[in-house]
Amino acid sequence: MSEASAPARRVYPSWLVIPRAAVTPLVIVLGMLLMAVRRGGLFTEPKLWAEDGLIFWSDSRRFPLWTTIFHPYDGYLHVVPRILAAFTALFPIGLTPILFAALAIAVTALSCSLVLRREMEWMIPSYPVRVALFFALVILPGASSEVSGTLTGIEEYLATGLLVLALSRDPERRGPRILLLPAVAVMGLTGPFAAVLAPAFWLRAWRNRSLYSLIMAGIVTGCAVIVAVGNSSPGALFGILHANWWVTVHNAVLGTFGSLVFGRTILVSLWSDLTLHIEVWMACLVLLALVAAACRDLPWTVALGLGIAMAGSIVSVIYRQEPGGWANLGGANLGDRYYALPVEIVIVVAGISLGKRLYDPSRLRSMLSAAPVFLILLGCLLGAPLAALPSVDWNRSVACLNTGRVCIVPIDPPGWSVYMSESPQQLQAVCDKVLCSGEPW
């Protein structure tokens, strides 16, 4: 091929040329630090959140991992939280909440960091755009303290990792190719998201035309089947069929697009100030229109996969509730972890659009692609600070546990507690008489 006929190489501005091998670890560490400081008292006032204490901590101290790892809770599996909880059981019991928070933050940042890998360059060539995408996914606008730094909230961020992998190319190096398959299986068996993301993985296999992608799609589908077969709440399907779909649409739009623009605080205030509804809805519609326009930059296989995941994740919000419990999502849960995957999808779509239009000669197209990203950044700034959870006087619990007795340990939210002891035998003896976890064995 002559030099004249060779395709012109894109010349990037000098400020975009970044040595990624050195910068990526620093970006991931900054993401971890951001999560560590955004919720007040995460490490200075140690505490466990709800299922972290009631299910994962309690089970890890009473049973070996191989007996609990595939035990469902709330209708699906929690493989990663159970593995991490079993790991913390190797350390002094007083360090548990600090280890839980540190491990949750590390897993969150590593899952979101998949967007920084070279396998995403075909969708988002600009590394700085992917860095901004990473921080937006870490912050997850609209989420509450329940998600940040807790094992309970890890499943929402593992959904981010699966979402990014569904859009990625196959790894070129042997090491990542080997490690990624079991990692996908572990992520797929944590939370209910494998089912809604499985179609995106089959479209990935169609797009990449490789045996590796086919195997990955089969793994995610197998995880989805396991989750569906092991679901312990079949009555929730009845709730889907009888849901109030006006409320469904209202909550889905505000929970997704409203949290991206305003964070969670203003959404909670909607229920005390009805005059905010019009303003919030107008902002949501603007962002919705901009994101819809950005979808034209998506290949049809990507658009179809994301569309199915978006629809499926909204349905799963209802499915995860008990029959008749849908109305309860209208208050404190609006914009919370239930809408994590739809929020992540919108963030990724906006990032893809900006990455593809960054060098568009049309100024109007570039501005339209950048507009949703700036609105999302606004939501990240407003949603980044998280209120500190109430103190549970962890030092007092540690003093009790150090005596070797079975103690009632307070956890968050207020009013929750868990039986705990340094001695698994003593703890199990108590749990044989009372219900020590959220579900009977």
Side-chain angles (χ1 to χ4, degrees), residues 87-107:
F87 174 73
T88 64
L90 302 174
F91 297 87
I93 202 167
L95 296 177
T96 299
I98 294 176
L99 291 173
F100 270 36
L103 290 171
I105 287 173
V107 171

Side-chain angles (χ1 to χ4, degrees), residues 146-196:
E146 178 181 0
V147 177
S148 181
T150 67
L151 297 190
T152 303
I154 280 181
E155 64 188 49
E156 321 300 338
Y157 289 103
L158 292 180
T160 300
L162 287 175
L163 174 66
V164 172
L165 288 175
L167 305 179
S168 301
R169 298 288 193 193
D170 294 342
E172 296 180 357
R173 293 184 296 171
R174 178 180 177 85
R177 289 176 69 91
I178 295 175
L179 294 175
L180 203 55
L181 294 180
V184 167
V186 170
M187 289 190 289
L189 291 174
T190 303
F193 301 107
V196 299

Side-chain angles (χ1 to χ4, degrees), residues 391-412:
S391 175
V392 297
D393 196 1
W394 178 254
N395 291 332
R396 184 176 179 180
S397 297
V398 172
C400 176
L401 292 168
N402 287 338
T403 65
R405 295 183 287 118
V406 176
C407 306
I408 299 178
V409 178
I411 57 177
D412 276 319

Side-chain angles (χ1 to χ4, degrees), residues 169-338:
R169 298 288 193 193
D170 294 342
E172 296 180 357
R173 293 184 296 171
R174 178 180 177 85
R177 289 176 69 91
I178 295 175
L179 294 175
L180 203 55
L181 294 180
V184 167
V186 170
M187 289 190 289
L189 291 174
T190 303
F193 301 107
V196 299
L197 289 171
F201 277 89
W202 284 108
L203 290 166
R204 177 189 194 273
W206 172 270
R207 188 168 59 245
N208 291 342
R209 298 289 205 284
S210 69
L211 177 61
Y212 186 85
S213 292
L214 190 64
I215 294 173
M216 186 175 289
I219 291 174
V220 175
T221 303
C223 294
V225 172
I226 292 173
V227 171
V229 171
N231 196 299
S232 61
S233 301
L237 181 60
F238 185 80
I240 293 178
L241 299 176
H242 292 79
N244 184 335
W245 288 99
W246 289 105
V247 176
T248 300
V249 173
H250 176 77
N251 285 2
V253 172
L254 296 190
T256 302
F257 298 96
S259 63
L260 280 169
V261 181
F262 298 108
R264 183 168 181 265
T265 304
I266 193 171
L267 298 182
V268 176
S269 65
L270 285 176
W271 308 106
S272 59
D273 186 0
L274 297 179
T275 60
L276 291 174
H277 276 78
I278 297 178
E279 290 86 346
V280 174
W281 259 97
M282 290 179 63
C284 289
L285 291 176
V286 169
L287 181 56
L288 176 60
L290 291 172
V291 171
C295 288
R296 62 181 179 169
D297 293 321
L298 303 178
W300 73 267
T301 54
V302 173
L304 180 59
L306 293 182
I308 295 173
M310 175 69 83
S313 60
I314 295 298
V315 172
S316 73
V317 172
I318 313 171
Y319 189 66
R320 293 165 73 180
Q321 309 306 306
E322 292 300 322
W326 173 244
N328 295 328
L329 291 176
N333 289 322
L334 183 59
D336 210 332
R337 65 187 181 94
Y338 299 101

Side-chain angles (χ1 to χ4, degrees), residues 399-430:
C400 176
L401 292 168
N402 287 338
T403 65
R405 295 183 287 118
V406 176
C407 306
I408 299 178
V409 178
I411 57 177
D412 276 319
W416 288 47
S417 61
V418 61
Y419 289 92
M420 187 50 59
S421 173
E422 283 274 17
S423 170
Q425 293 77 19
Q426 291 187 31
L427 178 60
Q428 188 58 43
V430 171

